[in-house]
Amino acid sequence: MEPVAHLYTNLSGKFGLPRQAGIVPEFKGRIVFTEQYRNPDALRGLESFSHIWILWLFSESPTEDVPVMVRPPRLGGNAKKGVFASRSPFRPNGIGMSVVKMDSIDFDTPEGPVITVSGPDLMSGTPILDIKPYMPYSDSIPEASAGYTKGLSDLFLTVAFPDELLQKFPPENREELVALLHLDPRPQYQRDPERVYGLTYLDYDVRFRIDDNDVLTVCEVVPRTH
């Protein structure tokens, strides 16, 4: 299989990515097609849907010697489950799938047709294998069981972002950045209030601490070194 497109965001690395699609709707992405599929006719009719399925590759995760038991992040990395009972990125074939909200399709750009989406959980530059319309009448199953994730919830933090640091970012990007920090970006097994974490966003490293009261305080914003 060959990628039909790639997704790009303002988040440069894996750290800080939402753990599932849709939980940070402020987070935006752009789907840019490969040259072979930059034909607007390939997207005709898609604009009538509100959401799409994205099938994509875990391009930064190994697919050799994948264990049959993994430690799902949702369980804090402390319990093992079968690889096919998890959404671990370490998989035999490295395929991911996400439902995202489709904000717009621009059919006429220098890059060909571009889809803007909300709520992706993919690294910037992720190869996309396929796109399909999300159909509520068949794809939504309200009575479905949540399995071992039932009752688990993501920890949302209070974000203290000094104004003089936040203003280093363009106004149109500030809400997205704060939303990513609000959804606790730490691995669930890390709870050290003295540790300084770093998230790479646009051309800056955003460094912060998280105290025992679940307050994330941004302490430094420094330009990236390339």
Side-chain angles (χ1 to χ4, degrees):
M1 290 185 289
E2 297 292 333
V4 300
H6 293 81
L7 181 133
Y8 299 98
T9 72
N10 292 324
L11 199 60
S12 302
K14 289 189 289 186
F15 186 78
L17 275 175
R19 296 181 182 94
Q20 299 293 340
I23 59 177
V24 183
E26 297 88 349
F27 189 42
K28 304 295 182 180
R30 297 171 65 250
I31 296 175
V32 180
F33 288 85
T34 58
E35 187 172 354
Q36 182 180 357
Y37 294 100
R38 290 182 179 176
N39 185 336
D41 288 342
L43 301 177
R44 297 297 180 196
L46 191 64
E47 69 275 9
S48 64
F49 293 88
S50 64
H51 293 71
I52 54 175
W53 283 102
I54 301 175
L55 300 180
W56 47 278
L57 285 176
F58 284 103
S59 53
E60 299 299 314
S61 299
T63 57
E64 296 180 359
D65 300 321
V66 173
V68 296
M69 298 286 286
V70 296
R71 299 179 185 272
R74 294 286 285 130
L75 299 179
N78 297 318
K80 285 189 175 182
K81 299 292 181 183
V83 64
F84 299 126
S86 79
R87 296 193 178 187
S88 167
F90 304 104
R91 317 194 66 79
N93 289 308
I95 297 173
M97 60 184 210
S98 302
V99 173
V100 295
K101 182 178 183 295
M102 191 168 60
D103 296 331
S104 64
I105 304 178
D106 190 339
F107 284 94
D108 186 19
T109 82
E111 301 170 296
V114 173
I115 304 176
T116 301
V117 299
S118 296
D121 56 344
L122 294 67
M123 279 186 62
S124 189
T126 293
I128 295 175
L129 296 174
D130 202 0
I131 294 170
K132 302 177 188 290
Y134 177 88
M135 300 180 180
Y137 79 92
S138 62
D139 296 348
S140 176
I141 308 175
E143 68 274 17
S145 169
Y148 60 81
T149 67
K150 184 177 181 179
L152 298 178
S153 61
D154 289 296
L155 176 62
F156 291 93
L157 305 173
T158 299
V159 177
F161 206 135
D163 193 58
E164 65 273 15
L165 298 180
L166 186 59
Q167 289 192 22
K168 292 188 177 185
F169 298 94
E172 64 270 19
N173 296 124
R174 295 171 190 169
E175 182 182 12
E176 177 183 76
L177 174 56
V178 172
L180 289 169
L181 295 172
H182 179 55
L183 183 68
D184 190 354
R186 297 172 296 181
Q188 294 194 2
Y189 54 84
Q190 291 183 358
R191 292 293 184 270
D192 181 359
E194 298 303 316
R195 180 166 181 161
V196 176
Y197 298 89
L199 182 149
T200 304
Y201 183 84
L202 290 176
D203 291 324
Y204 292 93
D205 288 330
V206 181
R207 298 172 183 169
F208 55 89
R209 288 188 174 90
I210 302 174
D211 65 22
D212 290 331
N213 295 315
D214 296 329
V215 176
L216 182 155
T217 301
V218 176
C219 49
E220 196 175 17
V221 173
V222 297
R224 291 179 59 195
T225 55
H226 296 277

